[in-house]
Amino acid sequence: MSVSTPFSTSSDAGVQPRLTWPLVVLSLAGLILLPSIWPSSYVVNVLILAFIFAILATGLNLIFGYTGLLSFGQVGFFGLGAYLYALLTMDGGVSPWLSILLAGIGSGFVALLLGYPALRVSRASFVIVTLSVTLLAALLARNWVEITRGPMGIPRLPAPSIDLLGLGTFSGHDPHVFYYIALAIAVASIGAIYLLVNSPIGRVLRAINLDEPLAASQGISPKKYQIAAFAVAGILSGIAGSLHVSHLGIVDPSIFDPYYSEMLLIIVIVGGPGSFWMVVVSSLVFMAIPELLRMAPELRMVLFGMVLVLAAMLFPTGVGGYFEQRKLAMWRRSLRS
Amino acid sequence: MLRATLAAAAVLFAIQGATAEENIVIGLSTPLSGSVAALGQHENWGASLAAKEINEAGGINGKQIQVEAQDNQCNPTQGITSVENLLEKNPIAVIGALCSSVTLAVMPVMERAERPLMVGVATSPIITEQAGVGGNQWTFRINPSDAGLAVALGKYLADKGSIKTIAFVGEDTDYGRGGHSAMAEALKGTGIEIVSADFYKQGTPDFTTVLTRIKTAKPDAVALYATGVDELGFIRQYRGMNIDSLLSGRVSLDELLPVIQAGALEDASSVYPYAVELDTPENKAFVEKFKATYGELPNNQSFQGYESIRVLADALKRSKELTPAALRNALKGTDMTSVTGGTIKFDDHNQAHNLALIMKVKDGVIVIETTSGT
Amino acid sequence: MEFFIQLVINGLMLGMVYALIAIGLSLIFGVLEIVNFAHGHFYMLGATVLAALVTSAGIGFFPSLVIATVAVGVVGYLVYVVLLRHFREGEFDRGIILTIGIGMVLQNGVAYLFGSSSRMVDTSLSFVSWDVAGFFVDAQRTVAVLVGAVAIAALYAVLTFTRIGKAMRAFAQNREAAFIVGIRPAVIAGIAVAIGIALAGLAGAALAPVFAVHPAMGAPILFKVFAIIIIGGLGSLPGALVASLLIGVTESVVGGYSSVALQDAVAFMLMIVVLLAFPAGLFGKGIRV
Amino acid sequence: MTAILTTHGLCKNYRGIKAVQDADLSVARGGITGLIGPNGSGKSTTIDCITGFTRPSSGKVSYDGQDITGSPSYGLAGIGLVRTFQNVRVYERLSVMDNLIVASQSLRAHGWLPLMLRSTAVKADEKAIMQEALSFLELVGMAHYAGAPAGILSYGQRKLVALAACLITHPKLIVLDEPLAGVNPTIIRKISGLIETLNEQGLTFLIVEHNVDFIMRHCDHVIVMEQGKKLTEGKPEDVRRDERVLEAYLGKRVGLETKGTAYA
């Protein structure tokens, strides 16, 4: 046996079809060109939402799919980032770009602080604590009127703008400009998480998820990695939240709508927890579906509920997990022969 | 996958484009799902009923009005998406968005699209501040603001003379909070004092605590700013506890008929922009038709939806051409009689000043005590 | 002082309501290790069924109460047989995802079928209240609390004296131990789930004449009860009862002396404090009676 | 020989049950120490206390001159103390190679940024680890499975991979919890041989095992536990002849059959 055995070192690359990279580049090119081919601001708006949800879903995928912790705090950090953005730009006079960055860091920092009590006991209590954090954040947004302006929300938020030297300034209030801002931030933050999960750190996260005692016996401190992953997911949520309200132009307590938590969960479950690109694709698909299924909203939610039930019963690993199963089957066959 | 989705979307738009050719499309963005879906449904019903009536009477210069409703879940995100979606259908104007925060989020979108936004239900004063002079030229509001209603109620309560202290209870939304600041402002100098203010979370099932406090403090009146589910729950528990303080505020008495008939709300008063009991021929006809069509009595939302279409139709008829810009100019010159008997005329901030109705429960029925301008 | 005592009375009554829901949730967690995210929606289902029986079918309150409880219990048993039964131990996340899905179907299904507006259920006790030694006691609420107390006492008796009850407790301690009692684990778990869910349905039905009935009523109370079972110790039934009463009283007193907004935050803040001080909750795990 | 690991007065109580009482144990550096005893005699709890998976109620654990009482499990691999588990544990959805790379300590020394960006130093390290992992896999005879997900391996094969994963941490002392249980004779021979070879290279072993044959043949020191206490210790042949040991096993076994159902 020579050293040149083509074993997989990055856990993801072996699972995904080989076409991944050309596909990613092609899709990206497509997304860059899309507004010029199809300039409908409705379509542009739906895609902006999809980019924002892709960031949010990638954050949940990191903490749930890779690290194995089901967090309902992501929407809480999403809202926290949104409020941080609003307060920084409106009350703090900070520029929109810097505010997005600070909103991400701020949300990540709060996640870091909450990680310890949340992870203290069990996975069950982690779920409930993170859920409560979102509920508490919503309560705070509604009732701490002096800071958050309460349910009236904070309107007239600025949007980041692009200053191209010589070409003038493009305001992010124009959906077509904001489209590229959202795309750029999505590519940057999702790309960073891609690097993370495919690095040795990502491997350790998966290991902790698969067998926490074994990892501990090998000198890995599970809590340290879990809290760090929770913080990183918090940063992503904060960035997504600030980006979102800079586009909306207003932040109010409905940013904590449980509907977001439900959608986010469906995106990651159907895409497949721990399957990187499938979750990103799933965000795009699920942001488009409500637009295509604009019939009876209750019926749509019943349908989504059934999707969750079916996914939990039949495909707990989602679409992405399906590829992995196939790969496992292939290995078994090859070993038998 | 993405391509398939986009292709499907393209087909969808193509279909929608075809229908938009013949009719005058008016968009409606309102919550059709979520906790306030029932209110949105009423606005939608009211608007549809008005459109039906106008179409049956020959439409606008022979063209039919088509109301396109989109769900906004009372959430700014869905609000923007719903309006962008409506804009694909080339509407001449959009009615919306019931919730103040959604309305505020949608205003710049409509401004960019250069189409009128007709606000009928949202009460936030910021909407008016931002509209008209020096601001958003495309937003018009027909419902009175919180301030107008609160002034009318404050005057009524002060004239009664018997009320000196008020405990305020409201939901922790723009409706409750906005109502509180408007009341506080309106009661200045009337000799009436707001002794406590409580804001509860929407969907709270239990009001015992705040009611116990009120029962102990014994204010002369309780001003309630609650909606739907919570209002019903509050009033039920309020009556269950035999609290002597008079009930007032913005109580949707129309929806509490069983409680009122049971004699449980005697002497309660309320200020509202609309009441089923309003004694004008237009309103009688409206209530009749609404009930026949939808099986329920109309409420403020259905009335405002109905009125929004009427105001738009009136402007469309006067408009030189059927374009959004011409419609806006026509709207500015609106001077029509409302279903309530009041006059709809937009001020510098595109705010109309319809009537405020003070209603009271007397012998198990709702009577309209006074009407005043706002 | 009188005000304070009144607040405590209110709090204890509210706490009993929480207890009914929390004990069922804790029972299911103890046996299956599943956090039932649909639990609040079964509470809503109980209230909705009762409202339909009383207002539309004209059946009396108490017969309706029994019918609604049994109906919700049967739905719960079916949920176990069709869905939860196929879960293996340790599939914690799948359980949550599944029950969230069930909750979405229930809430939106009811909203689709019956509309999302709220309904009131009137009974002969609706506006009756008593003055007991100067303190106010609401009749309808007293009925709900008594029904709850009877149900909790009955559950205690079942867990202590019957074979199946003992099996449930053994099962919660050690899955294989259930074999000794000679009852199949699937049967034990199925009955535990049915009882737990029926209790939620009972709570909803008993409270329908007190609170407004609408499709979204399940979520807020469920989240509060989550905090309660964490405080009481996941899976501990006495813990659930004590924590429920504790939260009920604390909420009432906090709301009475400060603000209603803070009242809603009490349970969550107390939960975080308990997690920091007693990580396993006040009572630790295990269905003990 | 000096002791690499000692415990003094080790106690562990669970809800009033004394799982381990006053155990004074000592593991000689460079040796193979066997830890035996009937079921429920406290062997597993003892090694859980030693490897940081449970906190002793009282007593002291020293390793390599350091007091490690109550230190968390993850703090021990770094100082050369690793363990395997009774029901073998591997990362089922990771490849066999990745199982070893995760266990390796050296990559974790890098900062997160170089790791994320795979700096040249990280790349070089990774390459070195892969080489090393492969050599350990060859040693245990699993090199041709390097790319396979560990989940497809048989029970015995997993034990081999788990052993290789221990080795890549460069341990001084390996605690093996029933390394031979549930494994076919071929792999028993394989594992026995490996332990022997590695011990010759200077590795110390503490082995919990029921296979008496293995204990007699490979251990140079045996500790017997019964009901949470140390019963006796000594050379395998001496322990074998000890009446008390026989009694403990037989007596307990009888007791187990009646009592067993309560815990089964």
Side-chain angles (χ1 to χ4, degrees):
Chain A
M1 184 104 282
S2 73
V3 190
S4 62
T5 323
F7 40 69
S8 85
T9 50
S10 87
S11 354
D12 218 40
V15 175
Q16 301 289 333
R18 286 281 158 214
L19 287 167
T20 301
W21 277 112
L23 269 177
V24 168
V25 172
L26 260 175
S27 319
L28 200 57
L31 287 173
I32 291 171
L33 293 175
L34 194 103
S36 1
I37 303 164
W38 196 356
S40 151
S41 71
Y42 169 53
V43 173
V44 163
N45 183 66
V46 170
L47 282 170
I48 289 172
L49 210 57
F51 297 156
I52 290 166
F53 263 81
I55 302 176
L56 203 51
T58 300
L60 180 59
N61 197 16
L62 173 70
I63 188 71
F64 177 46
Y66 288 90
T67 318
L69 296 167
L70 186 49
S71 161
F72 287 95
Q74 298 322 107
V75 168
F77 298 123
F78 178 72
L80 178 64
Y83 269 97
L84 282 175
Y85 177 85
L87 295 173
L88 285 168
T89 52
M90 301 299 282
D91 296 354
V94 182
S95 81
W97 284 104
L98 186 59
S99 298
I100 291 175
L101 188 69
L102 291 176
I105 294 172
S107 303
F109 182 69
V110 173
L112 198 64
L113 293 183
L114 282 167
Y116 176 71
L119 279 166
R120 183 107 193 261
V121 190
S122 64
R123 274 144 53 97
S125 58
F126 180 81
V127 170
I128 295 175
V129 171
T130 52
L131 175 73
S132 307
V133 164
T134 301
L135 297 172
L136 268 178
L139 264 175
L140 217 58
R142 263 195 223 96
N143 292 294
W144 196 6
V145 183
E146 298 76 28
I147 299 292
T148 64
R149 327 285 203 271
M152 315 273 203
I154 309 174
R156 278 179 283 190
L157 300 179
S161 51
I162 306 174
D163 198 359
L164 288 181
L165 289 173
L167 288 168
T169 307
F170 297 89
S171 161
H173 286 297
D174 178 350
H176 284 79
V177 174
F178 196 85
Y179 177 88
Y180 290 104
I181 294 175
L183 182 60
I185 293 181
V187 167
S189 42
I190 293 172
I193 300 305
Y194 182 81
L195 287 179
L196 179 73
V197 298
N198 286 294
S199 77
I201 302 175
R203 195 156 39 204
V204 171
L205 288 177
R206 288 170 76 105
I208 294 171
N209 182 11
L210 291 168
D211 197 327
E212 207 175 306
L214 178 58
S217 80
Q218 294 171 341
I220 295 163
S221 161
K223 289 255 177 337
K224 197 180 96 185
Y225 280 89
Q226 286 167 334
I227 292 175
F230 190 49
V232 172
I235 294 176
L236 250 69
S237 298
I239 289 174
S242 56
L243 199 59
H244 185 53
V245 292
S246 74
H247 173 51
L248 283 184
I250 181 172
V251 62
D252 79 325
S254 69
I255 193 92
F256 298 104
D257 197 325
Y259 170 77
Y260 290 142
S261 289
E262 286 166 358
M263 281 312 292
L264 196 55
L265 194 63
I266 290 178
I267 287 172
V268 174
I269 296 300
V270 173
S275 303
F276 196 86
W277 295 115
M278 280 304 158
V279 168
V280 174
V281 171
S282 171
S283 318
L284 300 177
V285 171
F286 272 95
M287 282 300 107
I289 283 179
E291 302 309 318
L292 297 175
L293 288 183
R294 271 186 176 269
M295 26 106 179
E298 280 98 4
L299 218 53
R300 194 174 74 216
M301 292 315 281
V302 169
L303 217 67
F304 281 178
M306 285 176 175
V307 167
L308 274 187
V309 170
L310 282 180
M313 293 309 296
L314 306 174
F315 317 103
T317 49
V319 179
Y322 172 75
F323 287 114
E324 199 172 342
Q325 295 295 331
R326 279 210 355 209
K327 191 191 161 219
L328 271 179
M330 206 182 71
W331 265 106
R332 289 215 170 87
R333 266 201 308 278
S334 74
L335 284 178
R336 223 177 290 138
S337 57
Chain B
M1 194 64 162
L2 184 68
R3 212 174 315 140
T5 313
L6 291 176
V11 171
L12 212 71
F13 294 140
I15 297 165
Q16 287 160 353
T19 54
E21 290 295 312
E22 302 128 32
N23 300 331
I24 300 172
V25 176
I26 296 177
L28 169 64
S29 170
T30 197
L32 296 172
S33 68
S35 56
V36 289
L39 305 183
Q41 187 54 35
H42 265 273
E43 189 177 21
N44 188 15
W45 281 343
S48 306
L49 184 62
K52 196 169 140 231
E53 283 177 8
I54 291 161
N55 290 340
E56 278 167 3
I60 311 287
N61 303 338
K63 288 199 169 193
Q64 300 273 295
I65 293 180
Q66 181 189 340
V67 177
E68 284 285 342
Q70 283 285 350
D71 180 20
N72 68 32
Q73 297 184 13
C74 194
N75 185 315
T77 311
Q78 269 68 37
I80 289 195
T81 319
S82 68
V83 168
E84 294 279 12
N85 190 342
L86 288 170
L87 289 173
E88 293 288 320
K89 297 170 188 170
N90 193 26
I92 197 146
V94 170
I95 303 171
L98 200 121
C99 304
S100 294
S101 56
V102 184
T103 310
L104 285 166
V106 157
M107 281 165 64
V109 179
M110 292 301 290
E111 189 180 27
R112 227 175 3 251
E114 301 191 330
R115 284 159 211 253
L117 172 69
M118 179 63 68
V119 182
V121 183
T123 55
S124 169
I126 309 175
I127 296 170
T128 313
E129 266 169 44
Q130 287 194 15
V133 151
N136 189 321
Q137 298 299 322
W138 296 92
T139 303
F140 294 82
R141 177 154 75 174
I142 53 169
N143 60 314
S145 73
D146 287 332
L149 294 175
V151 167
L153 182 65
K155 188 170 176 302
Y156 168 76
L157 293 175
D159 287 348
K160 272 184 96 140
S162 57
I163 290 169
K164 294 280 167 252
T165 52
I166 289 184
F168 186 94
V169 180
E171 57 180 39
D172 65 353
T173 64
D174 50 354
Y175 181 66
R177 296 261 181 200
H180 175 247
S181 21
M183 279 284 276
E185 190 62 36
L187 291 176
K188 267 184 196 157
T190 58
I192 301 175
E193 191 196 349
I194 297 186
V195 288
S196 68
D198 281 286
F199 302 95
Y200 64 85
K201 195 166 146 262
Q202 262 185 315
T204 299
D206 187 54
F207 296 96
T208 328
T209 310
V210 63
L211 288 170
T212 302
R213 188 136 34 87
I214 288 170
K215 198 177 163 79
T216 315
K218 296 190 175 58
D220 299 327
V222 174
L224 179 66
Y225 273 62
T227 51
V229 177
D230 307 324
E231 183 175 49
L232 214 55
F234 181 90
I235 287 178
R236 188 179 197 92
Q237 292 166 29
Y238 175 82
R239 277 305 152 209
M241 284 181 75
N242 295 329
I243 290 170
D244 301 322
S245 314
L246 276 179
L247 191 66
S248 190
R250 292 199 49 188
V251 186
S252 38
L253 295 173
D254 287 345
E255 318 214 342
L256 299 165
L257 286 177
V259 190
I260 288 170
Q261 280 153 8
L265 280 181
E266 209 49 31
D267 281 335
S269 58
S270 170
V271 63
Y272 241 74
Y274 176 75
V276 173
E277 292 74 17
L278 208 59
D279 197 14
T280 65
E282 288 84 3
N283 185 44
K284 289 233 179 306
F286 167 60
V287 173
E288 195 76 15
K289 258 191 221 154
F290 193 90
K291 210 180 162 196
T293 317
Y294 302 111
E296 287 181 30
L297 282 172
N299 59 17
N300 182 43
Q301 286 74 30
S302 21
F303 159 70
Q304 300 292 6
Y306 185 77
E307 191 94 329
S308 298
I309 292 285
R310 284 184 75 239
V311 172
L312 285 171
D314 169 79
L316 282 169
K317 280 181 188 153
R318 286 182 287 106
S319 177
K320 290 189 189 71
E321 49 183 332
L322 290 180
T323 63
L327 172 61
R328 180 184 67 171
N329 292 337
L331 276 171
K332 291 227 180 232
T334 297
D335 185 353
M336 65 177 281
T337 310
S338 161
V339 169
T340 63
T343 308
I344 294 181
K345 224 176 187 176
F346 293 103
D347 66 12
D348 284 355
H349 284 280
N350 295 351
Q351 168 75 52
H353 297 273
N354 205 335
L355 299 179
L357 315 176
I358 305 282
M359 292 169 278
K360 193 184 164 181
V361 178
K362 220 178 224 167
D363 304 323
V365 288
I366 304 166
V367 291
I368 293 169
E369 287 266 292
T370 57
T371 56
S372 62
T374 51
Chain C
M1 193 61 201
E2 256 174 47
F3 179 54
F4 179 77
I5 294 171
Q6 178 74 59
L7 287 177
V8 171
I9 293 173
N10 297 345
L12 286 173
M13 291 180 101
L14 184 64
M16 277 302 285
V17 172
Y18 291 153
L20 259 190
I21 305 169
I23 285 176
L25 193 64
S26 225
L27 184 69
I28 295 172
F29 183 84
V31 171
L32 284 185
E33 303 229 325
I34 282 179
V35 177
N36 181 14
F37 267 70
H39 208 71
H41 302 295
F42 286 109
Y43 159 81
M44 178 274 293
L45 196 63
T48 307
V49 171
L50 184 115
L53 290 173
V54 171
T55 54
S56 306
I59 301 172
F61 175 68
F62 285 102
S64 303
L65 193 70
V66 176
I67 298 172
T69 307
V70 172
V72 174
V74 168
V75 173
Y77 188 73
L78 289 178
V79 164
Y80 175 79
V81 171
V82 178
L83 302 170
L84 294 173
R85 190 163 55 96
H86 305 286
F87 277 41
R88 278 166 310 201
E89 218 179 314
E91 291 186 309
F92 173 75
D93 300 328
R94 267 179 85 188
I96 290 180
I97 291 157
L98 177 80
T99 52
I100 289 180
I102 295 172
M104 283 167 72
V105 171
L106 280 176
Q107 181 184 337
N108 294 289
V110 167
Y112 183 71
L113 295 175
F114 301 100
S116 44
S117 15
S118 60
R119 264 162 301 164
M120 291 258 100
V121 179
D122 282 309
T123 71
S124 53
L125 292 173
S126 280
F127 294 105
V128 178
S129 62
W130 299 306
D131 191 314
V132 180
F135 295 108
F136 160 84
V137 183
D138 177 85
Q140 190 69 56
R141 212 171 270 237
T142 310
V143 169
V145 166
L146 288 179
V147 166
V150 169
I152 290 171
L155 180 67
Y156 174 85
V158 167
L159 287 177
T160 318
F161 301 117
T162 66
R163 205 162 69 107
I164 189 94
K166 285 176 188 163
M168 269 178 219
R169 280 157 58 205
F171 194 73
Q173 299 283 341
N174 183 335
R175 247 126 253 266
E176 281 134 42
F179 287 106
I180 309 155
V181 198
I183 304 175
R184 279 184 27 239
V187 174
I188 298 172
I191 293 175
V193 170
I195 291 178
I197 288 179
L199 283 178
L202 175 67
L207 286 169
V210 182
F211 298 158
V213 180
H214 58 103
M217 70 193 282
I221 205 151
L222 175 69
F223 296 153
K224 205 165 275 177
V225 169
F226 276 164
I228 286 173
I229 63 168
I230 291 267
I231 293 170
L234 276 169
S236 160
L237 301 191
L241 177 63
V242 173
S244 296
L245 297 176
L246 180 75
I247 291 293
V249 171
T250 317
E251 274 188 353
S252 178
V253 171
V254 167
Y257 285 102
S258 77
S259 84
V260 191
L262 201 59
Q263 185 176 4
D264 273 320
V266 163
F268 303 123
M269 295 196 294
L270 216 62
M271 173 184 74
I272 290 177
V273 171
V274 166
L275 276 181
L276 286 171
F278 315 92
L282 299 180
F283 284 75
K285 206 216 137 179
I287 303 187
R288 279 168 290 148
V289 288
Chain D
M1 273 191 287
T2 55
I4 189 168
L5 180 96
T6 52
T7 69
H8 286 292
L10 193 69
C11 290
K12 178 68 192 178
N13 308 324
Y14 288 112
R15 284 188 189 165
I17 298 161
K18 291 176 178 164
V20 177
Q21 289 181 62
D22 228 7
D24 292 336
L25 310 180
S26 168
V27 176
R29 194 183 291 272
I32 302 178
T33 304
L35 181 60
I36 63 169
N39 277 335
S41 59
K43 306 182 302 282
S44 290
T45 310
T46 306
I47 60 171
D48 278 354
C49 284
I50 291 170
T51 53
F53 276 84
T54 187
R55 212 188 165 82
S57 308
S58 64
K60 207 178 138 189
V61 184
S62 311
Y63 164 81
D64 210 9
Q66 280 171 269
D67 181 4
I68 58 160
T69 318
S71 38
S73 49
Y74 55 82
L76 300 175
I79 53 174
L81 171 54
V82 290
R83 67 171 294 180
T84 64
F85 295 85
Q86 201 169 354
N87 294 312
V88 62
R89 288 172 185 271
V90 290
Y91 305 116
E92 295 187 11
R93 283 169 62 191
L94 295 189
S95 70
V96 168
M97 173 55 81
D98 277 354
N99 262 275
L100 266 66
I101 297 177
V102 165
S104 154
Q105 310 276 306
S106 54
L107 267 183
R108 283 182 234 137
H110 295 276
W112 59 274
L113 201 58
L115 281 174
M116 254 176 83
L117 302 172
R118 279 213 158 80
S119 69
T120 28
V122 169
K123 271 195 186 135
D125 240 12
E126 223 173 358
K127 207 168 168 189
I129 290 168
M130 268 154 62
Q131 295 275 9
E132 195 187 6
L134 210 60
S135 69
F136 282 122
L137 286 178
E138 267 167 38
L139 180 70
V140 301
M142 294 294 293
H144 51 294
Y145 287 104
I152 65 163
L153 301 181
S154 73
Y155 194 68
Q157 287 172 322
R158 288 176 195 216
K159 291 214 164 176
L160 291 169
V161 170
L163 188 60
C166 280
L167 295 176
I168 204 166
T169 65
H170 301 291
K172 294 179 198 157
L173 168 61
I174 300 185
V175 180
L176 296 174
D177 197 352
E178 303 199 9
L180 305 181
V183 166
N184 71 44
T186 322
I187 293 188
I188 289 188
R189 275 197 298 281
K190 174 111 206 158
I191 293 177
S192 312
L194 276 170
I195 292 173
E196 203 62 50
T197 319
L198 291 164
N199 180 244
E200 277 160 21
Q201 288 168 9
L203 251 175
T204 310
F205 284 92
L206 171 63
I207 303 176
V208 172
E209 186 51 64
H210 283 299
N211 187 322
V212 180
D213 189 43
F214 171 86
I215 296 282
M216 293 305 142
R217 217 170 317 157
H218 298 284
C219 293
D220 35 43
H221 190 78
V222 176
I223 302 167
V224 187
M225 290 190 71
E226 194 218 359
Q227 293 185 341
K229 289 182 191 147
K230 183 170 80 181
L231 184 67
T232 181
E233 63 182 313
K235 289 204 179 311
E237 49 274 26
D238 299 337
V239 167
R240 181 174 222 167
R241 282 193 291 268
D242 196 316
E243 277 296 314
R244 289 173 301 169
V245 176
L246 215 57
E247 200 176 298
Y249 263 92
L250 288 174
K252 190 72 186 185
R253 193 148 295 158
V254 172
L256 256 178
E257 263 148 21
T258 47
K259 243 176 127 182
T261 42
Y263 296 100

